[in-house]
Amino acid sequence: MRNFIVTIDGKSYSVGVDEVENGVVAESTPVQAVAPVAPKAQKISAEGEKVLSPFPGLIKNLLVADGSAVKKDQPIMVLEAMKMDNEITAPCDGKVTFGVVKGANVETNAVLAVIS
């Protein structure tokens, strides 16, 4: 069996595929459901004003590009929790560096971004 990571509509899944020789499956294995592979968080510098997650949720969208200049109270991302979209805003003026990617699950007080 060979394992692959497949991305569909922005979500990654781990998939196992049996190898076939001359039209015959080389080894028979039962099909198992697999969980989506969570996007990995990015490492960011701790210098600057940290933007922390107020609650656990899913990063639904990043509203500005990484490295962009932002103004205080400007929405920078959308955090979905309990089927509700919540805008996360910049706490101050500066340049945003994201510590998460779209599709990532985060916990309370996770560092979402740093504004420097």
Side-chain angles (χ1 to χ4, degrees):
M1 177 175 292
R2 295 185 64 191
N3 294 312
F4 298 92
I5 294 179
V6 179
T7 303
I8 301 172
D9 292 331
K11 292 187 179 181
S12 296
Y13 300 89
S14 177
V15 179
V17 179
D18 285 331
E19 294 187 31
V20 177
E21 282 185 27
N22 299 326
V24 178
V25 175
E27 134 184 346
S28 180
T29 54
V31 176
Q32 297 177 351
V34 293
V37 175
K40 295 194 180 343
Q42 301 175 20
K43 293 189 180 209
I44 57 175
S45 169
E47 295 179 24
E49 183 81 20
K50 292 180 184 175
V51 180
L52 303 178
S53 178
F55 37 75
L58 170 77
I59 303 301
K60 192 168 181 183
N61 202 4
L62 301 177
L63 303 176
V64 297
D66 194 45
S68 296
V70 294
K71 296 286 184 188
K72 182 178 180 180
D73 297 326
Q74 177 181 348
I76 59 172
M77 71 179 68
V78 177
L79 176 64
E80 181 185 282
M82 298 182 66
K83 307 265 183 197
M84 292 180 59
D85 290 347
N86 303 277
E87 285 187 342
I88 304 298
T89 59
C92 59
D93 293 354
K95 177 180 150 186
V96 65
T97 303
F98 288 110
V100 294
V101 294
K102 181 178 177 180
N105 287 303
V106 296
E107 297 297 326
T108 302
N109 293 324
V111 178
L112 303 176
V114 173
I115 310 294
S116 55

